[in-house]
Amino acid sequence: MTEETSKQNIDLSIQMASEAYQFLKNTTIKERAAFMNAVADQIEALGDELFTIAHSETSLPLARLTGEKARTVGQWRSYAKAVASGIYTEPRIDLAQPEKQKGDLRKYNIGLGPVVVFGASNFPFAFSTAGGDTASAIGAGCPVIVKAHPAHPKTSQIMADAIVNTVKEFGWPEGIFSHITGTSYEIGTYLTQHQNIQAVAFTGSFNGGKALFDTANRRENPIPVFAEMGSINPVFALKNLIENKAEALAKEYVSSLTLGVGQFCTNPGVFIALKGTSLDRFIAAIKNEIKETIPSNMLHKGIYDNFEKHKTIALQQPDIEIMASAEAEDGKGSAVIIKTNTKNFINNPVLSEEVFGPFGIIVTCENQEEFIQIAQKLKGQLTITVAATQDDVYENAALISLLKDKCGRLLFNGMPTGVEVVYAMQHGGPFPSTTDSRFTSVGPDAVKRFVRPISFQNWPDEFLPEELKNENPLQISRMVDGEIHSGSLKL
């Protein structure tokens, strides 16, 4: 049974976070990076107990958990390196020009303030308590209050302890990090409404993310909610490619669709192709591939129940046909792929809703114009994949131009599952996949979500933040009078 944190204790955590923000605001990027690397060391040192507990709470296999732990450690270290470089402070200096009656202006980015992070269920390490949201917020200079996901409370506590231990080791204020537990929706609302909270990060369902977003915008002082709410991640299989490799593409598609029992936000839930013998070959191949998939336990009963509910709703829609299905096993996620036509897909909004799990829809098109029609109707997506040859790209330039408006990551072949934690990754997309398509929740650029600019005019050098001092004590690159400059200023 997950303990429900009282409002009194939540208020105390937020008050401590507000006080800790004043401390963090005056730390340097080098100091925060050192803290982040120390958290990485703490997590890396966690032993077999972490895996045993995480497996018992999530059913995730040891190999997956081992890889995810390494990813989590890597996130803290790569984000720390990025923070230390000064890239997210974006220092800008325009020196005084008395002859033009122009003063001295210096600008950089500081943390927004206390941030609430909602842990995700499908990544108990990398997207939960000590995940990328927490790492990027602290890197930006923001204290974090984590609302732990109730599906893995013990795992969450272990990861929280690693951060708390680092806070103690550094002698930093206790409010740098707090851990809130509970199952009620009221906790999330209460946290988001609190006047001292300055931003929210969320990964989960559309209903949950949109509710927090609406709550934040009803505040007297609205705040940003960076909600990643999933998508159907369509695959457009163009003519020449599917003719050349229908069977190989089927194997690739089913492997991605069923990876981790389909419990990835980049799961390719829709496959779009022209009717014809090539698509027939593809469908024949997926039937064989699906037969080889073994139903497995999902992350928790709530996810399994939702999968079954939304799968059943989809199967009850008119003008659909089951193309392939794994043998059902009670309590486990069994893969299903259905087929429909373009008109039905466009006109039935149920078919464009995410079914979180191993569920796919094949949409058959009569001609290339129907590709365009689907693209025009698509809601915002995290990813869109174009399965194509180079000739296909030339022949479908208008389609691909449209698809750029609909997603955060556009793939040329391959499948969208497998998100690299690098600078060039964009894990975010137009609404409703996320609430702000300008930002990513994966990769060092995730730090950008939690900073804001402040400009200093005519301040004596001794009172300026380290990032803006004449001597450039942090030795970072800065924009000085419109040019990149890495040294000190000789005034």
Side-chain angles (χ1 to χ4, degrees):
M1 183 85 178
T2 301
E3 182 181 350
E4 200 86 3
T5 302
S6 68
K7 287 185 178 179
Q8 182 180 3
N9 284 336
I10 291 174
D11 288 341
L12 179 60
S13 293
I14 295 174
Q15 179 59 39
M16 290 193 301
S18 298
E19 294 168 0
Y21 171 60
Q22 297 306 318
F23 170 85
L24 267 187
K25 191 166 58 178
N26 292 298
T27 58
T28 69
I29 51 179
K30 307 293 185 184
E31 290 168 338
R32 295 200 297 277
F35 177 89
M36 296 167 74
N37 280 315
V39 172
D41 292 343
Q42 286 271 352
I43 296 172
E44 190 170 45
L46 294 172
D48 291 342
E49 180 189 15
L50 174 66
F51 296 128
T52 301
I53 289 175
H55 173 70
S56 71
E57 291 186 320
T58 66
S59 297
L60 293 173
L62 179 61
R64 157 72 190 271
L65 290 170
T66 301
E68 190 182 331
K69 179 188 172 186
R71 170 181 168 170
T72 306
V73 170
Q75 284 177 169
W76 280 89
R77 289 184 176 152
S78 65
Y79 294 10
K81 183 177 180 180
V83 167
S85 75
I87 186 172
Y88 301 116
T89 61
E90 297 184 336
R92 307 283 190 256
I93 298 175
D94 285 283
L95 297 171
Q97 298 180 36
E99 70 279 7
K100 296 182 179 180
Q101 297 184 327
K102 176 183 173 296
D104 184 287
L105 278 170
R106 306 187 184 208
K107 181 173 73 172
Y108 85 135
N109 292 333
I110 62 170
L112 291 173
V115 171
V116 171
V117 170
F118 289 84
S121 64
N122 59 338
F123 282 87
F125 304 157
F127 253 97
S128 198
T129 299
D133 289 338
T134 299
S136 53
I138 289 177
C142 301
V144 170
I145 298 165
V146 164
K147 165 57 178 68
H149 198 285
H152 47 254
K154 294 179 182 177
T155 302
S156 189
Q157 188 62 59
I158 292 172
M159 300 301 269
D161 290 344
I163 302 175
V164 170
N165 289 340
T166 307
V167 173
K168 291 177 180 176
E169 175 189 327
F170 272 60
W172 284 11
E174 184 180 345
I176 297 293
F177 176 83
S178 298
H179 188 231
I180 302 298
T181 59
T183 58
S184 69
Y185 293 113
E186 287 75 16
I187 286 183
T189 301
Y190 188 77
L191 285 164
T192 304
Q193 286 176 335
H194 200 288
Q195 63 179 355
N196 288 349
I197 296 301
Q198 299 303 315
V200 170
F202 171 88
T203 300
S205 69
F206 173 78
N207 288 337
K210 183 62 162 54
L212 294 175
F213 178 78
D214 291 343
T215 296
N217 281 288
R218 286 194 297 265
R219 289 174 37 146
E220 183 178 351
N221 58 325
I223 59 171
V225 171
F226 303 105
E228 191 259 89
M229 300 176 290
S231 62
I232 56 175
N233 306 299
V235 176
F236 286 80
L238 303 186
K239 179 176 177 291
N240 295 314
L241 191 285
I242 196 169
E243 283 180 358
N244 294 339
K245 54 175 292 188
E247 291 78 15
L249 186 59
K251 187 178 187 68
E252 206 176 349
Y253 178 72
V254 171
S255 176
S256 181
L257 183 74
T258 61
L259 181 68
V261 205
Q263 297 168 114
F264 290 96
C265 47
T266 53
N267 187 28
V270 177
F271 185 93
I272 303 156
L274 289 172
K275 289 175 67 174
T277 56
S278 297
L279 182 57
D280 292 341
R281 287 166 46 214
F282 175 86
I283 291 172
I286 66 165
K287 289 179 179 179
N288 291 328
E289 293 295 330
I290 288 290
K291 288 177 184 176
E292 301 298 318
T293 64
I294 300 172
S296 300
N297 290 324
M298 302 189 79
L299 286 158
H300 56 84
K301 188 177 184 300
I303 283 185
Y304 169 76
D305 289 344
N306 272 322
F307 172 61
E308 288 297 313
K309 173 186 173 183
H310 291 110
K311 180 174 72 173
T312 300
I313 291 172
L315 292 173
Q316 291 172 342
Q317 299 308 303
D319 297 324
I320 67 100
E321 180 183 356
I322 296 176
M323 286 290 98
S325 60
E327 186 174 347
E329 189 172 339
D330 190 44
K332 295 186 176 182
S334 302
V336 176
I337 297 178
I338 65 173
K339 185 179 77 171
T340 193
N341 57 58
T342 297
K343 182 178 180 181
N344 193 43
F345 181 74
I346 288 175
N347 293 332
N348 187 342
V350 171
L351 298 177
S352 293
E353 296 300 319
E354 180 185 29
V355 178
F356 191 68
F359 181 84
I361 301 177
I362 296 171
V363 181
T364 62
C365 297
E366 296 288 342
N367 49 52
Q368 288 182 316
E369 179 58 34
E370 290 193 355
F371 281 145
I372 297 287
Q373 292 172 15
I374 292 171
Q376 289 171 333
K377 291 289 186 177
L378 274 179
K379 297 177 182 178
Q381 307 291 325
L382 292 173
T383 76
I384 295 176
T385 300
V386 180
T389 65
Q390 288 183 311
D391 285 342
D392 284 324
V393 174
Y394 284 119
E395 294 166 9
N396 291 272
L399 169 67
I400 291 165
S401 181
L402 270 174
L403 296 181
K404 292 176 185 177
D405 301 335
K406 302 288 185 167
C407 66
R409 177 161 56 109
L410 185 63
L411 289 82
F412 177 71
N413 294 321
M415 287 293 152
T417 44
V419 178
E420 298 292 333
V421 187
V422 293
Y423 283 95
M425 175 53 62
Q426 178 60 21
H427 192 63
F431 187 85
S433 62
T434 63
T435 48
D436 197 328
S437 62
R438 296 172 298 172
F439 298 99
T440 180
S441 60
V442 175
D445 278 354
V447 175
K448 289 181 180 180
R449 295 173 294 172
F450 305 115
V451 296
R452 68 172 181 87
I454 179 170
S455 183
F456 298 85
Q457 185 165 340
N458 296 331
W459 276 84
D461 186 71
E462 64 187 294
F463 299 120
L464 289 169
E466 300 286 281
E467 290 83 354
L468 299 177
K469 287 183 184 295
N470 291 333
E471 288 300 314
N472 192 12
L474 300 175
Q475 294 299 295
I476 58 177
S477 293
R478 307 186 292 185
M479 184 74 74
V480 180
D481 288 338
E483 296 183 1
I484 299 296
H485 195 282
S486 297
S488 59
L489 303 180
K490 307 299 182 184
L491 302 180

